Amino acid sequence: MADTLINTIDIVIPTYRPGEKFLRLFAMLKKQTRPFNKLIIMNTEHELMPKEVRSALNADGRVIIRDITEDEFDHAATRAAGVSISGADAFICMTDDAVPADTELIERLISALESGEKVAVAYARQLAAADADESEKFVRVFNYPDKGRKKSIADLKELGIKTYFASNVCCAYKRSIYDGLGGFIDRAIFNEDMIYACTALKVGYESVYAADARVVHSHNYTAMQQLHRNFDLGMSQRMHPEVFGGLKSEGEGMKLVKSTIAHLAASGHAVDIPVFIVRTAFRYAGYRAGKMYDRLPRWLCLKLAMNKRFIRRNISK
């Protein structure tokens, strides 16, 4: 059991135009029952961080800020660069819009990491924000239920692609295992967290969905934003057949769509169903296009992708 104990914890957060929500995130991190050692901020473009945010961060001696350019940002490489600054036993990756729901987030995530020697990853439950529309609220409940579970490669037959699910919106990693596996991949348009979790589970480690560790995080994406985001998702899956090959996600997606429509109808929000259906169609179109990105011209990939910087750097045709 001694090998599972974690004494020091750092937090790594990429930021881009951090604002009021990020300040709430920072305030909640400082109130945690289990304190962090360092907060490592990987900020895209120095001038895009408001002065009041930089001042608040600099006032805390535990904060390290590293400014990078937009061209340097990568979902995997930027986080890996932040982790390389850390010397803690464990680190937690978060996004700059994921606000801890209470003061026990870190304690509960780390408790999940400490629950077994084989646990490599523990990710938090995501709650919808108060301003989320009804379909987004339901999707959060569907994807992040109130009951946690431990996952291993043995769950692949039952859970399919969800076996590998983890989310760097809020996800804790055991550093010794991370280093042993070589860390995050070198570059990623999306899914660097799932790719790492897959690597870990395939060699015998485990992950934990820590439902009692909660962050408030949701988006009211437009139909076009859904298309762009899911193009990146599909492209990521196409680029990593070692993770996603042979594991279809459409079935789980259809289950979510049917459940959401049923919920909207039963909860008095039937008027929202047409909008949800349109967004779903755009989401699926983006996903299918992303899955065939290597057969599309570069200019079209640039139009369809959310992460256009990745396309510019990595797609030459």
Side-chain angles (χ1 to χ4, degrees):
M1 187 67 179
D3 290 341
T4 70
L5 294 180
I6 292 168
N7 295 311
T8 53
I9 307 142
D10 289 342
I11 302 173
V12 177
I13 305 180
T15 58
Y16 181 72
R17 299 182 184 273
E20 184 270 336
K21 187 178 290 186
F22 176 74
L23 288 176
R24 284 193 279 123
L25 184 167
F26 183 44
M28 287 300 295
L29 287 181
K30 291 189 290 184
K31 296 177 181 178
Q32 293 294 300
T33 54
R34 186 155 186 178
F36 62 87
N37 183 41
K38 294 178 184 176
L39 172 58
I40 300 164
I41 303 296
M42 302 298 293
N43 177 64
T44 298
E45 299 293 351
H46 181 278
E47 66 275 13
L48 296 183
M49 177 179 282
K51 291 180 179 178
E52 62 271 21
V53 173
R54 191 175 292 271
S55 177
L57 291 171
N58 285 332
D60 191 314
R62 298 172 293 176
V63 177
I64 298 171
I65 304 175
R66 293 288 185 268
D67 293 309
I68 62 173
T69 67
E70 285 198 39
D71 286 340
E72 291 174 311
F73 176 82
D74 179 272
H75 280 290
T78 298
R79 288 177 168 88
V83 174
S84 71
I85 299 171
S86 168
D89 298 332
F91 63 91
I92 299 172
C93 285
M94 297 182 69
T95 55
D96 63 7
D97 59 349
V99 181
D102 52 46
T103 60
E104 297 178 323
L105 172 69
I106 295 177
E107 181 177 342
R108 289 168 176 168
L109 273 179
I110 298 305
S111 178
L113 273 189
E114 293 176 329
S115 66
E117 291 184 9
K118 290 185 177 181
V119 177
V121 177
Y123 64 99
R125 183 183 183 192
Q126 296 181 33
L127 307 175
D131 64 351
D133 61 36
E134 189 63 26
S135 62
E136 179 69 2
K137 289 177 181 177
F138 180 79
V139 167
R140 281 290 177 267
V141 173
F142 184 92
N143 286 330
Y144 299 93
D146 59 6
K147 184 179 180 180
R149 73 174 291 168
K150 186 175 287 187
K151 297 184 289 185
S152 72
I153 198 69
D155 294 308
L156 198 57
K157 186 175 181 180
E158 175 194 353
L159 298 178
I161 198 170
K162 280 198 164 185
T163 306
Y164 303 139
F165 184 77
S167 175
N168 272 341
V169 164
C170 187
C171 191
Y173 297 83
K174 203 173 285 178
R175 183 61 186 268
S176 59
I177 297 176
Y178 174 90
D179 287 344
L181 294 175
F184 296 126
I185 56 174
D186 292 335
R187 60 192 177 98
I189 189 170
F190 206 73
N191 279 333
E192 78 290 338
D193 35 26
M194 284 187 69
I195 294 166
Y196 176 84
C198 171
T199 301
L201 268 60
K202 281 187 173 182
V203 295
Y205 291 112
E206 299 170 333
S207 68
V208 175
Y209 167 48
D212 59 347
R214 305 175 305 153
V215 291
V216 178
H217 176 263
S218 58
H219 296 286
N220 289 325
Y221 282 138
T222 65
M224 282 305 299
Q225 287 173 323
Q226 293 280 14
L227 185 147
H228 295 318
R229 182 181 185 278
N230 280 269
F231 177 88
D232 291 7
L233 171 63
M235 182 173 172
S236 171
Q237 292 190 10
R238 176 70 173 173
M239 293 183 75
H240 294 281
E242 76 282 6
V243 179
F244 302 102
L247 295 176
K248 293 187 178 296
S249 57
E250 287 94 333
E252 189 67 24
M254 184 55 65
K255 181 180 176 182
L256 171 60
V257 170
K258 291 179 178 178
S259 297
T260 305
I261 291 174
H263 169 77
L264 291 174
S267 62
H269 294 85
V271 67
D272 295 333
I273 292 176
V275 173
F276 175 73
I277 291 174
V278 169
R279 288 178 183 169
T280 298
F282 273 69
R283 186 161 53 238
Y284 186 68
Y287 172 75
R288 293 306 305 170
K291 291 276 280 187
M292 60 175 67
Y293 83 92
D294 49 348
R295 287 179 274 169
L296 301 177
R298 184 173 184 267
W299 65 266
L300 184 54
C301 289
L302 280 168
K303 282 188 175 293
L304 294 174
M306 179 171 279
N307 187 350
K308 300 181 189 304
R309 292 187 298 272
F310 185 90
I311 303 295
R312 295 190 186 101
R313 285 198 307 268
N314 297 287
I315 305 300
S316 58
K317 68 174 183 177

